[in-house]
Amino acid sequence: MRILVANVNTTETMTAGIAEAARSAASPGTEIIGITPDFGAESCEGNFESYLAAIAVMDKVVRYEDDYDAVIQAGYGEHGREGLQELLTVPVVDITEAAASTAMYLGRSYSVVTTLDRTVPLIEDRLILAGLHDRCASVRSSGLGVLELESDPERAIEAIAREAQRAVETDRAEVIVLGCGGMAELKDRVVELCGVPVVDGVQAAVQVAESLVRLGLTTSKVRTYAPPRPKRITGFPMTTR
């Protein structure tokens, strides 16, 4: 089984970290291929960057030449997962939805700890759209930018753990979800510090994707995710299959 794990930003080191986290959760025989968009922002922390990432990820995936069995979109929040589902038949798993749905197996309520406060509404909107918001106790910001997760990991761990503890004590969360693909490598330390189950979306998405492939399930093409209608796309290199 081969799974493409698509980073939504253009930072190659973050792609490498996300792919490594995915491999740590993959079953023997599952090949993880990390891919980075050819254009876009170095980190996604707002609507403009998110919409740009959606186009860039679709472009990168449809131009991938080898076969694959599933795609993981490794960006937390709104990055155009639905567009990929129109373009592909194989399962497409978004880490936001994979993390939240996994957390609901582990406790009555969960909280998301993310990066900057401006990303909180994007995450809340994605959870509402996916039908996963009712059991979300809170979405909390650590106050850190995405790139700070790599540049100052100790500070990042402290900030994330602090908000996780507040979510447990104040918001009554029973499970913590890490609200950024770049947080994947910090999970074990956060578990040690906050004492409740901590779900990383990348690892959860790998398990979901593997299960869908093994069950022989594919994306429905009856209505919502039917292939795009054939038409000329002007001024842009991406083509649909």
Side-chain angles (χ1 to χ4, degrees):
M1 184 188 307
R2 175 181 290 159
I3 299 176
L4 299 187
V5 180
N7 183 9
V8 299
N9 65 49
T10 58
T11 301
E12 292 281 0
T13 54
M14 195 162 289
T15 301
I18 289 169
E20 189 59 33
R23 292 186 187 104
S24 73
S27 302
T30 295
E31 181 182 10
I32 300 294
I33 305 293
I35 59 175
T36 307
D38 292 327
F39 59 90
E42 61 183 346
S43 63
C44 293
E45 297 168 324
N47 287 289
F48 165 71
E49 292 156 0
S50 177
Y51 297 148
L52 183 61
I55 298 170
V57 169
M58 286 188 285
D59 173 67
K60 188 70 174 184
V61 170
V62 299
R63 290 192 294 105
Y64 186 82
E65 295 182 350
D66 294 330
D67 293 334
Y68 51 89
D69 301 289
V71 176
I72 292 172
Q73 183 173 273
Y76 214 94
E78 171 57 62
H79 302 291
R81 179 262 299 161
E82 296 87 347
L84 274 178
Q85 287 188 289
E86 288 188 7
L87 294 169
L88 307 176
T89 300
V90 301
V92 178
V93 181
D94 172 78
I95 67 170
T96 313
E97 297 167 7
S101 58
T102 299
M104 293 194 298
Y105 286 109
L106 305 175
R108 182 178 180 275
S109 61
Y110 68 92
S111 283
V112 178
V113 179
T114 189
T115 51
L116 298 178
D117 181 67
R118 65 177 295 164
T119 67
V120 170
L122 279 71
I123 293 171
E124 291 176 337
D125 287 349
R126 168 53 66 180
L127 294 173
I128 292 169
L129 182 64
L132 297 166
H133 191 262
D134 286 351
R135 287 169 61 183
C136 180
S138 60
V139 179
R140 284 182 166 268
S141 165
S142 66
L144 299 175
V146 171
L147 299 181
E148 291 179 88
L149 301 176
E150 286 190 323
S151 65
D152 196 348
E154 287 302 316
R155 178 168 172 250
I157 290 167
E158 290 177 6
I160 294 164
R162 180 173 60 249
E163 291 305 317
Q165 289 172 329
R166 288 173 178 169
V168 172
E169 294 169 2
T170 304
D171 307 329
R172 311 297 290 174
E174 299 175 6
V175 182
I176 296 298
V177 168
L178 299 179
C180 175
M183 292 180 178
E185 296 177 295
L186 309 180
K187 188 187 85 167
D188 291 343
R189 290 288 305 279
V190 178
V191 171
E192 293 174 9
L193 293 169
C194 71
V196 298
V198 176
V199 179
D200 164 56
V202 173
Q203 294 177 330
V206 169
Q207 291 292 301
V208 173
E210 286 187 335
S211 297
L212 294 173
V213 173
R214 290 198 178 98
L215 289 168
L217 297 173
T218 57
T219 299
S220 174
K221 294 298 176 180
V222 170
R223 190 181 186 191
T224 306
Y225 304 125
R229 296 182 64 190
K231 61 186 69 174
R232 184 173 63 255
I233 298 177
T234 303
F236 193 75
M238 188 177 80
T239 59
T240 59
R241 292 185 175 183

